[in-house]
Amino acid sequence: ILIPGDKVAKGSKLRLGIAYRDRWYKNITPSIGEPLHEERVSINASADIPIFKHVILRPEYRMADRASNDPFRNYDNTISSLSVVYNF
């Protein structure tokens, strides 16, 4: 999505991040009877949007996908939030 420069508040910031981890454990995990294997992917995005002097609107989104051969460690997680920040 492209936003024209005159429509973006001066001082706005955008943060994006992605992380990937692939772990193989050496020892047998008793609950599954084999070595544990995990893959994790995390994505983060947030923005600081000035709305008044000293006041920032901060939307955030975080997603984590954890794949594992242990069903108790296999999950997806999504968090969205909206904050209003006052800077002194």
Side-chain angles (χ1 to χ4, degrees):
I1 298 174
L2 295 176
I3 301 172
D6 61 339
K7 302 293 183 193
V8 177
K10 185 177 179 180
S12 294
K13 296 177 186 175
L14 177 64
R15 291 186 270 316
L16 301 171
I18 187 166
Y20 175 77
R21 180 186 293 178
D22 188 8
R23 294 178 89 180
W24 291 87
Y25 294 83
K26 294 179 183 178
N27 297 329
I28 301 291
T29 303
S31 62
I32 59 174
E34 60 184 83
L36 183 63
H37 175 233
E38 294 180 331
E39 287 184 84
R40 295 184 202 180
V41 177
S42 301
I43 297 173
N44 303 307
S46 67
D48 285 355
I49 305 164
I51 53 175
F52 301 110
K53 186 177 181 179
H54 304 291
V55 180
I56 296 170
L57 186 65
R58 182 176 291 155
E60 295 183 68
Y61 174 80
R62 291 183 277 163
M63 185 280 296
D65 180 8
R66 185 172 175 173
S68 174
N69 59 346
D70 182 349
F72 292 106
R73 297 177 190 223
N74 193 23
Y75 65 87
D76 295 335
N77 189 21
T78 302
I79 299 172
S80 298
S81 66
L82 182 63
S83 303
V84 176
V85 179
Y86 184 83
N87 293 309
F88 294 92

